Amino acid sequence: MMDPEQWLAQYDKRLAEVASRAKDASARLRQVGGTASSPRGEVTVRVSASGTLEDLTLTPAARGLESDELARLILDTTRRARREVSVQIDGLSTRYLGEGPALEVIRQHLPAGVPAGNDPDDDDYFANPPEITR
């Protein structure tokens, strides 16, 4: 049988380790963000860890695009940045939580709305084209 003081010392040590890991995870999650540019560079976006658009940069070349093409580029580029954030969050969450129910809940709420690492291919793009609003 373990001495109560020894048990308490081990418990305190474990709590300190958990608190340290939580602090580290929190600091790393605060640094998460995604940036993406359109294939020809007309559009660059930056999104936060929640997937919220934080910055949008349009180069002069964007002025030569039709409005619907520019809208599509902005939406597609933002989706790519959000996928980048999802991959970062998934990686950090896996590192700190490991596989399990908590990780599955996080994956269900990733900013991109798609599982991390599940980049759509050309077939997916044409089967599910982006919605363009006017």
Side-chain angles (χ1 to χ4, degrees), residues 5-118:
E5 287 187 26
Q6 184 183 15
W7 179 87
L8 188 56
Q10 286 180 349
Y11 185 73
D12 283 344
K13 181 181 176 185
R14 178 71 179 132
L15 283 178
E17 290 170 357
V18 169
S20 175
R21 285 177 54 88
K23 185 177 178 181
D24 185 49
S26 177
R28 290 179 187 271
L29 283 170
R30 280 193 299 275
Q31 295 173 357
V32 169
T35 302
S37 294
S38 60
R40 294 179 307 228
E42 305 95 336
V43 175
T44 300
V45 300
R46 186 177 71 238
V47 298
S48 68
S50 67
T52 304
L53 185 64
E54 290 186 331
D55 189 39
L56 169 64
T57 303
L58 303 174
T59 66
R63 291 183 193 161
L65 299 173
E66 294 293 327
S67 61
D68 59 339
E69 184 179 6
L70 180 58
R72 181 186 55 77
L73 273 179
I74 292 170
L75 291 173
D76 289 348
T77 305
T78 302
R79 283 186 192 102
R80 288 198 358 256
R82 293 179 83 204
R83 274 194 294 278
E84 180 183 318
V85 165
S86 293
V87 168
Q88 291 174 36
I89 291 172
D90 185 72
L92 285 170
S93 299
T94 300
R95 176 178 176 189
Y96 287 99
L97 299 174
E99 293 292 332
L103 183 59
E104 289 307 313
V105 169
I106 289 170
R107 285 179 174 160
Q108 291 173 5
H109 294 90
L110 289 173
V114 297
N118 187 16

